[in-house]
Amino acid sequence: MTNWNPDLYLTFGGERTRAAADLLARVPVAAPARVIDLGCGPGNSTALLRARWPGADLTGLDNDPAMLTAARASDPGVRWVEDSATWWTASAPYDVVFSNAALQWLPDHAGVLDRWFAAVAPGGALAVQLPVVHPRSPLHRLVWDVAEAFGVADSGTVCHASEFYYDVLAPHATTIDLWETEYAHVLDGPDAMLTWLRGTRLRPLLSALPDDEARGRFEVAVRDRLAAAYPSRADGRVLFPFPRLFFVATRR
Ligand SMILES: C[S@@+](CC[C@H](N)C(=O)[O-])C[C@H]1O[C@@H](n2cnc3c(N)ncnc32)[C@H](O)[C@@H]1O
C-alpha cells in the first residue's frame, strides 16, 4: 500500500478536521488526565485535543511514518507513538480515547472497539468518527466500478450500521451518543474531488496498479465519473456530499 501523504491529506485539512471538532464537542469529560488520539495522522485532530485540554498528558498514535513525522513537527509536546491501532491495548487507562477518521481502515470493528473501550477509565469516554459507505452516495459505487474495470480488488473501507456500534459498546457503557452527519463540502470541481480521494480512499487502489500510466488512466476514469455524478454549480464548484457516523460512549 502507498504510504500516506500528509501534505496531500491536509489539502482539505479544514474539511477533514471539521468532523474531529464536531466529535470532540460531544465528549463529556471536563478535565481528563490522560488522552490518546488513535490514527492521529499529521496531528490535526490531536491539536484540537491539546487546545481543549492543555493540561492533559496527550499521546498521538499512528502506524504511518510519514504522518507521524508531520505530527511530531506540529507539536513536540505530544507523545507520538508509531504503532498499530488495530491491536492497541493500554498499559494504564485513559480518560479519553479519541479516534477521528481511522477506524474505517481497520478490520474486525467489534474486536477493535472492545480493546479501545477496555482502555477507558470508569467515567471516561471513547469517541469515534468514521465515513459512512452510504447506499445513496454514488461515490463508493463509482470507485468500485472503476476498480473492477481495471481488475483491482477493492476491499474499500468498513462502516457498520449504528446499531452494530451500540451493541458492541452498550454492555460497558453508561451513555452512548450516536449520530450521523452528511457534510456538503464545497469543492473546486471534479479535479478537487479527485485530489480529495487520492489522499485517502484511492490510495490502496492506486498502489495496486502496475505503473504510473495505469494510475493515470485510473484517475481519469474516476474523475470523469465524478464529473458526471456531481454536476458543477453555476460558479463551477461542486457539492461533495460526505456522510459520517459519530459515537461517544462513556465507560461504566
Ligand atoms: C484519514 S487519516 C485521519 C487523521 C486524523 N485523525 C484526522 O482527524 O484527520 C487516517 C489515519 O489512520 C491511520 N491508520 C490507518 N490504519 C491504522 C492502523 N492500523 N493503526 C494506526 N493508524 C492507522 C493512517 O495512517 C492515517 O494517518
Side-chain angles (χ1 to χ4, degrees):
M1 186 180 289
T2 54
N3 286 339
W4 287 80
N5 177 331
D7 293 332
L8 182 58
Y9 182 72
L10 289 175
T11 305
F12 300 100
E15 288 85 354
R16 299 195 200 275
T17 309
R18 163 81 182 277
D22 291 348
L23 177 64
L24 180 59
R26 298 293 304 170
V27 177
V29 183
R34 279 164 54 79
V35 176
I36 189 162
D37 186 9
L38 298 174
C40 61
N44 54 318
S45 46
T46 325
L48 298 179
L49 304 179
R50 171 55 79 220
R52 176 162 170 194
W53 298 303
D57 178 293
L58 182 56
T59 300
L61 180 147
D62 203 284
N63 68 352
D64 185 81
M67 284 298 213
L68 273 179
T69 298
R72 274 190 198 100
S74 75
D75 186 346
V78 173
R79 183 183 307 104
W80 301 105
V81 176
E82 186 177 330
D83 202 354
S84 169
T86 306
W87 299 107
W88 175 79
T89 54
S91 48
Y94 284 84
D95 302 296
V96 176
V97 174
F98 187 89
S99 183
N100 186 62
L103 181 63
Q104 71 273 15
W105 297 106
L106 276 50
D108 182 21
H109 286 191
V112 167
L113 290 174
D114 268 345
R115 288 187 286 280
W116 290 6
F117 206 26
V120 175
L126 169 68
V128 175
Q129 179 279 126
L130 69 169
V132 174
V133 182
H134 214 293
R136 72 171 183 276
S137 162
L139 173 63
H140 300 289
R141 182 76 258 160
L142 74 83
V143 172
W144 281 322
D145 286 349
V146 175
E148 192 175 37
F150 278 73
V152 179
D154 180 18
S155 53
T157 56
V158 179
C159 178
H160 300 287
S162 49
E163 290 84 355
F164 172 94
Y165 297 106
Y166 182 90
D167 290 346
V168 169
L169 298 171
H172 301 291
T174 310
T175 61
I176 306 183
D177 182 8
L178 293 123
W179 72 101
E180 222 180 274
T181 297
E182 182 168 288
Y183 298 94
H185 296 305
V186 180
L187 300 187
D188 289 335
D191 288 329
M193 298 173 83
L194 177 63
T195 303
W196 176 296
L197 294 174
R198 198 187 276 139
T200 50
R201 174 80 170 82
L202 298 185
R203 291 173 36 259
L205 300 169
L206 291 170
S207 68
L209 290 164
D211 52 34
D212 285 346
E213 190 271 333
R215 281 187 272 277
R217 283 191 293 111
F218 186 94
E219 288 195 344
V220 168
V222 171
R223 186 221 173 270
D224 288 349
R225 286 174 196 234
L226 286 169
Y230 300 95
S232 296
R233 314 321 306 160
D235 63 3
R237 293 183 173 154
V238 287
L239 294 185
F240 186 34
F242 208 96
R244 295 180 182 272
L245 174 67
F246 300 74
F247 49 89
V248 178
T250 54
R251 177 109 191 155
R252 207 185 287 148

